[in-house]
Amino acid sequence: MSSHTILIHLVAILFSVAPSWATDTPSAEVVVEGERPSSPDASESSSALTVIPLDESMPIGGDIADALESAAGVRVQRLGGLGSWSTVSIRGATSRQVSVYLDGVPLNPDGASALNLSEMPTTAFERVEVYRGNPPPQFGAAPMGGVVNLVTPDIPSGLGFSATTGSYSTHRLSAFGAGSREVGQTKIDVWTAAEGLQTDGDFGFFQNRSTVFNVFDDSFDVRQNNDKRQLNLLGRLRARKGSESVSFTQGYLDRKEGVPGPAAAQSAGSRLDTRRSLSALTGSTRGSWGRSSLTAWGIFTDEIWDDRDSEVGLGTQWEQSDNQMLGAQSVTDLAFGPSWVGVVSGAIRHDKSVQTNLFNDRADAARNRFSWTASPGVRTQLWDERVQVDGTMFVQGLHNDIQGATPYPEVSGTLSSSDVSLVTAKPRGGVLVRITPGVVAKASWGQYLRPPSFSELFGDRGGVVGNAGLLPETGTTVDGGVRAKIDAPGVVAVVDAAGFSTQTDNKIVFVQNSQRTVRPINVSGAVVRGFEGAVRLELLEFVQSRTSFSRTWSRNLSGLSAYSGNQLPGIPAYELWQQTSVHWDDRFVLGHNYSMTDGEFWDRTNWYRAAPRHLHSAFTRIKPVSRGPELEFELRNLTNQIVETVPRDPLNPNDGNEIITAIDDFNGYPLPGRTWLVSLRWSL
């Protein structure tokens, strides 16, 4: 059965169970003005939740990665430069342990990929919801790191555009439009967004050519083959009648980019072309009994990797990768009286990957993965709603039909091919206590499992080499914290503080196994603990301040003496983010951002330590006419910090020498220096 036939069947199932639109009698229960619920309140959720509005406090030239950096416990890593590959990590989890959703549709279920945030159209979203640790059962997922949900605007009409130009021949043009009309008793609205981005990414950087004991070959170079060309389209068509609605969402991405490789061995012509299509159809209804929704979705990705000169990886490559994910998921909330709510969510999914060698136009056998989940849960309010208790049992089934070794704990030995099945049940729970109207305490606990993805098992592209002997990651997380809100005349203050601990078995981490490649391995045991905090202040509607920080301790529990007790690679010990902005009505905004990262190692031996970085940026925005356009000027990395002084040999206490190293997020991929952006935005 073809993928398109499967999608048609899923759509047919959706319409067969969706609410009937045949009657002309309005619902007597609830008239729904919007398809999706309003923004969730962190004071009403037992999950550690941060809601980030993409509003005027954010620079026009910013992107999704910039917004996520503001959340406590969240780290964004970039491969360098505007529009470059960027991923999100939560509380020391890997990027594959974080599930990213678009209006509840999973973009990387089960950690199937490390989602590239730079591929997300910035102006297409109203807010970002970040669930750290235990997510609500409505997502039907159990990621160890947490959930990031990108939410599109729920607007009936509007029109706007923005344009940005800046350093390194960077240009971005965005536009959105929305409209609605009533046909009888049915409200129909359409919303669309488009964004184009291009940048050469040819910034200057420092490199030591990976010879830390030889300073004579150090130099300042220009990043080459780092250009990006990207087009994003996203739209939604929705029909609503009373308490029922049906919506169709369609997205498209076309991205062409150079892959520069590590700074010490830059490429001149390696390329990656990506095309992706997202389709999702959702039907929902609600009443006095609760609410229910059903979604069918498909994601089709086509990538062409061209490294015919063998510049990035270990050999000459020219291949096409076709990946598809087809799925359906349902969520039903049932009210069993004023104090009890049952939540039942479930999903089915089929993943397929085909690799084609373009030298001989020969395709490998398809790799398939079938999965299903069921998440029955309950929420209850006790003692006059002062205590809220949540409980979920996440049941996950997985069936692989893939080439190569597919070991799992339930399977003895290593299979040479095909069928491996896995069924697990992982409980999760949370509790929220309302101490006063403005103060709540919350805690959550859960067990999690993530199977290795196709690319982790069998990847062989550029600088990433797969490992067919990987085991699934399993883990247990627990957290607890307090949230306090003060809302007084002229002052609004919100303070969050929490501690967390994650114990992981067979944690999958990428380590550098040669100068040009990295390979995923299992760390037999790992623990990550820390605390995080966030403070948001609004003074007289004039000054806004947001601060987040985290302190993390990570430890390798491996039995190997060379690594046991060491800090885990890629997890910084200290992170701080701060933004202060001054507003004068809607006519003038002046803002400053500061971020700090320190105490991070690139390898298991803790020899290669990342340079600490302190990055400042500032922006100012003016709106001369009340209903007119806005003009903004932004400077990133104000101090032009591109190098830092670090010990030459941190493992040798007798070596007091220091060396200069580049500022980077990934080892060997430097970040740019001072960057300017000029933006114009006009919304009607």
Side-chain angles (χ1 to χ4, degrees), residues 244-290:
E244 303 170 346
S245 69
V246 170
S247 67
F248 177 71
T249 301
Q250 180 66 49
Y252 177 74
L253 165 75
D254 191 321
R255 180 180 172 100
K256 296 177 173 59
E257 59 188 315
V259 180
Q266 294 197 88
S267 72
S270 298
R271 309 292 298 179
L272 176 64
D273 294 350
T274 304
R275 290 188 299 273
R276 181 178 298 113
S277 175
L278 163 70
S279 302
L281 183 63
T282 300
S284 63
T285 185
R286 68 171 64 189
S288 60
W289 51 269

Side-chain angles (χ1 to χ4, degrees), residues 449-530:
L449 178 143
R450 187 185 76 87
S453 66
F454 289 153
S455 60
E456 289 172 323
L457 288 168
F458 309 107
D460 182 17
R461 173 183 293 180
V464 179
V465 180
N467 180 1
L470 288 175
L471 300 173
E473 299 175 307
T474 58
T476 301
T477 70
V478 61
D479 63 25
V482 177
R483 177 181 175 86
K485 182 176 181 179
I486 300 173
D487 194 347
V491 178
V492 176
V494 180
V495 180
D496 286 282
F500 60 89
S501 176
T502 301
Q503 179 89 32
T504 308
D505 294 323
N506 300 316
K507 182 181 178 73
I508 298 175
V509 297
F510 282 81
V511 297
Q512 192 166 352
N513 65 333
S514 76
Q515 188 174 357
R516 302 178 67 184
T517 61
V518 295
R519 182 173 184 260
I521 64 168
N522 285 116
V523 176
S524 56
V527 63
V528 179
R529 295 189 176 97

Side-chain angles (χ1 to χ4, degrees), residues 154-220:
D154 192 22
I155 55 176
S157 63
L159 180 66
F161 78 93
S162 65
T164 298
T165 187
S167 302
Y168 322 121
S169 300
T170 299
H171 309 287
R172 186 172 71 194
L173 183 63
S174 305
F176 77 89
S180 64
R181 65 174 301 177
E182 293 190 14
V183 180
Q185 296 181 359
T186 302
K187 296 180 179 180
I188 300 176
D189 61 72
V190 61
W191 170 86
T192 60
E195 181 175 280
L197 168 71
Q198 75 169 35
T199 180
D200 288 346
D202 52 347
F203 57 87
F205 70 97
F206 172 84
Q207 69 156 306
N208 58 18
R209 306 188 189 279
S210 298
T211 56
V212 296
F213 289 94
N214 179 14
V215 298
F216 296 103
D217 61 355
D218 296 353
S219 64
F220 285 90

Side-chain angles (χ1 to χ4, degrees), residues 82-86 116-120 197 227-231 252-257 272-276:
L82 299 168
S84 66
W85 180 284
S86 54
N116 183 3
L117 297 174
S118 68
E119 294 178 353
M120 297 294 102
L197 168 71
D227 61 292
K228 311 287 185 295
R229 302 292 185 271
Q230 178 172 297
L231 173 65
Y252 177 74
L253 165 75
D254 191 321
R255 180 180 172 100
K256 296 177 173 59
E257 59 188 315
L272 176 64
D273 294 350
T274 304
R275 290 188 299 273
R276 181 178 298 113

